[in-house]
Amino acid sequence: MTTAEQYKKFEELDKLASQGGGVERVERQHANGHMTARERIDMLLDKGTFNEIDKLVIHQCTDFGMDKNHIPGDGIVCGYGKIDGRLVYVYAYDFTVYGGTLSATGAKKIVKVQELALKNGAPVIALNDSGGARIQEGVGSISGYASIFYQNTIASGVIPQISAILGPCAGGACYSPALTDFIFMVKEKSHMFITGPDVVKAVTHEEVDKEELGGAYTHSSKSGVTHFLCDTEEETLMSIRELLSFLPSNNMEDAPMQTCTDDIRRAEESLMTVIPDDPNMPYDIKNIIEPVVDNHYFFEVMPHFAKNIVVGFARLGGRSVGIVANQPAYLAGVLDINASDKASRFIRFCDCFNIPIVTFEDVPGFLPGCTQEHNGIIRHGAKIVYAYAEATVPKITVITRKAYGGAYIVMNSKPIGSDVNFSYPTAEIAVMGADGAVNILYRKATPEEKAKAVEEYKEKFSNPYRAAEQGYIDEIILPKDTRYKLIQALEMTQNKSQSNPPKKHGNMPL
Ligand code: HXC
């Protein structure tokens, strides 16, 4: 062969690999409203930055006629590229090749990318669209999953790991996304379940379609498995880019600072009227978060699940922060099992990746009742204590109104390790609300005596001054000054250096 012929041979092979499962299957993928693996990667990454690895890898299976059916790349498109000029690793299941199913060699490709990402300290993004384990390969395929899960676990807390579900994701395959930090799903186009509708019907006699069983809405609002619900694949890919802008590339770095185009001293008069005169009236905590953060922009995580707590990313003075906030507009902001899980996982993510945590607190307590107790509110609520207490990033709390009892403690109180605690003059910091307290202390009193005791209790405890007198509050501030106060507190704590005692790992209540 001449040199020119060798180049031509390579180009033909490369072209074949780029075609995935071939024209017909690509057309079917488009007709079903999906992009191909390579189209997705092209859209996700900065233009022209993708370097594909293992493009010519073929499977080693010889059973069921597979020895004659080699497709270069074997259904996984993987490599590295850039997002906003920063290195990322990516792997995408190619549904046009054997339904995106995982072979032993496909798994090796993914593991290679995961190992590179871990060694070089950059995020990994997985674009899932797969029929699961390739049946023809038997144990080789399922063992491949095991090695992917192992890498997911080892990389947890070292590099950000992000999963998008853009088609089917069934069976044990769901556990790789579940082990990553954030999951994105697309309405009506993506599904996750351990067993599909047919198995459900056979085992439990339940009739359910795949959308209700494991669609994007189900997992974003009911199960809490997914963090972001998107309308389209394009929106998903753009949202992944945006999420990464708030995150460092690994646990040894800080999140990238952005030039702050908003006035850091901006006093926000609208905040002076957000808290209603009536302490039992709800208000939307986002009406405090948004005016406070840079450019009023809050990137909410899990907006549809456990709405009684709000979590997400924002910037203050250009610095990335994680926000955790009780939501008085939903179930009065009470803490329940789902809210506890949602908040704890988010707090731990921020702590893994050096992102300061800002907490807005207005919480009447934990949700009472048999359902919560029997499902383990004690165990789940303890997670928030644990997550805040072990977090060594800067932790700042703003108590806007109610801070009662155990809920006061868990929402980043001073003794749990908060660095700076602010409170509005409207704060109520006590063991419980006035009526509940008087009913316990003066059970046998007349209604008049009780009313008098309620007034006395409110005067003593329905304010932040007792806490401020004892140093449990560092500063009482007016709501309009929140932004500048927070930015100054973040600057004050930016070199915070704190570490917990060395240990293999803690034993967090799960
Ligand atoms: C091999 C598979 C396959 C599989 C699909 N295909 N799933 N090949 N192993 N698991 C092939 C089909 O034969 C077909 O090949 C092509 O992929 C596209 O599939 P279609 O069925 O035509 O597509 P569609 O109608 O869109 O349905 C997609 C699907 C369905 C919902 C994913 O194929 C399906 O239900 N597949 C089985 C899913 C499953 O049960 N997987 C195992 C999960 S358990 P041709 O050549 O005809 O185009 C698991 C264990 C993991 O994964 C354990 C980890 C610990």
Side-chain angles (χ1 to χ4, degrees):
M1 261 202 216
T2 64
T3 303
E5 282 167 344
Q6 291 186 57
Y7 290 164
K8 188 156 180 280
K9 181 184 172 195
F10 158 68
E11 279 169 357
E12 279 167 7
L13 192 55
D14 189 65
K15 190 172 167 205
L16 183 70
S18 297
Q19 286 167 347
V23 179
E24 200 184 298
R25 283 192 168 82
V26 168
E27 278 171 4
R28 206 188 305 162
Q29 178 81 345
H30 288 159
N32 288 335
H34 291 290
M35 294 159 81
T36 65
R38 283 195 176 76
E39 287 165 349
R40 288 167 178 158
I41 291 175
D42 277 353
M43 183 169 279
L44 174 70
L45 301 181
D46 295 349
K47 276 244 152 328
T49 62
F50 182 49
N51 293 278
E52 188 168 346
I53 296 173
D54 285 344
K55 193 172 179 180
L56 302 181
V57 158
I58 50 171
H59 68 73
Q60 305 298 316
C61 176
T62 52
D63 295 319
F64 298 102
M66 291 296 280
D67 49 341
K68 297 180 211 73
N69 286 321
H70 290 126
I71 299 177
D74 201 27
I76 304 291
V77 183
C78 61
Y80 59 97
K82 290 193 171 164
I83 289 183
D84 290 331
R86 298 161 70 208
L87 175 68
V88 296
Y89 292 82
V90 60
Y91 61 88
Y93 291 83
D94 184 350
F95 194 81
T96 69
V97 179
Y98 300 118
T101 50
L102 189 80
S103 64
T105 42
K108 280 191 188 143
K109 287 179 63 168
I110 292 175
V111 168
K112 188 192 267 189
V113 165
Q114 290 177 309
E115 286 176 342
L116 276 170
L118 188 59
K119 262 193 291 196
N120 295 301
V124 185
I125 302 153
L127 306 179
N128 295 268
D129 185 0
S130 166
R134 191 174 296 166
I135 293 164
Q136 297 90 325
E137 298 223 3
V139 69
S141 165
I142 49 176
S143 297
Y145 275 117
S147 43
I148 294 168
F149 300 170
Y150 177 80
Q151 291 300 331
N152 284 137
T153 307
I154 297 304
S156 178
V158 184
I159 49 173
Q161 300 181 84
I162 296 169
S163 302
I165 316 298
L166 302 168
C169 183
C174 293
Y175 288 116
S176 176
L179 288 164
T180 63
D181 298 303
F182 295 104
I183 301 181
F184 290 74
M185 288 184 79
V186 189
K187 272 184 199 158
E188 290 161 18
K189 297 284 179 202
S190 55
H191 300 97
M192 290 179 88
F193 31 69
I194 297 301
T195 53
D198 293 344
V199 176
V200 171
K201 189 173 175 197
V203 176
T204 70
H205 307 293
E206 282 171 285
E207 298 253 10
V208 62
D209 63 26
K210 62 180 181 176
E211 190 62 23
E212 199 195 331
L213 182 64
Y217 180 75
T218 295
H219 284 311
S220 61
S221 63
K222 291 185 182 166
S223 72
V225 164
T226 193
H227 304 82
F228 298 98
L229 167 67
C230 299
D231 286 332
T232 61
E233 291 191 17
E234 289 82 349
E235 187 192 330
T236 307
L237 300 170
M238 292 307 116
S239 301
I240 292 174
R241 289 178 63 96
E242 182 167 17
L243 171 62
L244 283 170
S245 75
F246 290 99
L247 315 183
S249 295
N250 59 62
N251 65 340
M252 304 299 280
E253 291 181 4
D254 287 333
M257 274 291 271
Q258 287 208 350
T259 312
C260 181
T261 54
D262 195 352
D263 180 4
I264 59 166
R265 294 181 184 228
R266 176 165 52 76
E268 190 59 50
E269 291 297 334
S270 71
L271 292 179
M272 299 300 279
T273 51
V274 173
I275 314 283
D277 291 338
D278 178 351
N280 295 322
M281 278 274 286
Y283 64 92
D284 188 343
I285 197 69
K286 288 186 222 168
N287 289 337
I288 294 183
I289 299 170
E290 285 166 3
V292 163
V293 299
D294 289 0
N295 305 110
H296 297 234
Y297 188 67
F298 178 51
F299 185 77
E300 191 171 352
V301 175
M302 300 182 94
H304 308 290
F305 181 75
K307 293 182 190 171
N308 34 337
I309 202 142
V310 172
V311 301
F313 298 101
R315 292 189 182 84
L316 276 164
R319 184 176 282 114
S320 198
V321 292
I323 306 261
V324 181
N326 306 115
Q327 173 56 289
Y330 193 86
L331 295 176
V334 75
L335 284 170
D336 60 4
I337 288 172
N338 286 345
S340 302
D341 286 1
K342 174 176 166 181
S344 316
R345 185 150 168 84
F346 184 74
I347 293 162
R348 295 193 98 213
F349 176 84
C350 292
D351 188 48
C352 287
F353 293 105
N354 312 318
I355 299 171
I357 301 162
V358 176
T359 302
F360 291 94
E361 177 173 2
D362 185 348
V363 58
F366 282 97
L367 183 62
C370 284
T371 309
Q372 289 289 309
E373 293 290 356
H374 295 178
N375 285 297
I377 182 70
I378 296 172
R379 187 160 50 84
H380 292 275
K383 293 179 198 178
I384 317 189
V385 181
Y386 196 103
Y388 270 125
E390 75 167 349
T392 55
V393 289
K395 295 179 284 188
I396 302 167
T397 300
V398 181
I399 302 178
T400 61
R401 194 169 61 174
K402 296 186 170 82
Y404 286 136
Y408 153 75
I409 298 167
V410 306
M411 290 305 292
N412 197 35
S413 61
K414 203 82 192 158
I416 217 83
S418 165
D419 296 296
V420 184
N421 269 38
F422 296 116
S423 140
Y424 291 170
T426 43
E428 303 169 23
I429 305 168
V431 175
M432 62 176 69
D435 292 328
V438 166
N439 273 331
I440 292 171
L441 293 177
Y442 301 97
R443 193 165 293 167
K444 294 185 181 134
T446 63
E448 293 73 31
E449 286 167 336
K450 279 188 180 174
K452 194 164 161 263
V454 164
E455 281 317 305
E456 188 189 340
Y457 186 95
K458 278 187 182 164
E459 201 180 313
K460 283 215 167 92
F461 295 131
S462 296
N463 61 60
Y465 300 108
R466 276 294 164 95
E469 282 164 17
Q470 295 172 60
Y472 294 122
I473 296 296
D474 296 302
E475 198 178 346
I476 299 173
I477 61 171
L478 286 174
K480 69 183 167 71
D481 300 327
T482 313
R483 173 174 166 77
Y484 190 38
K485 285 287 177 191
L486 283 175
I487 290 174
Q488 287 175 295
L490 285 165
E491 271 171 15
M492 187 271 280
T493 52
Q494 71 179 343
N495 292 330
K496 179 180 175 186
S497 165
Q498 183 190 335
S499 49
N500 295 325
K503 52 185 148 181
K504 193 168 172 191
H505 55 71
N507 189 14
M508 187 187 194
L510 294 173

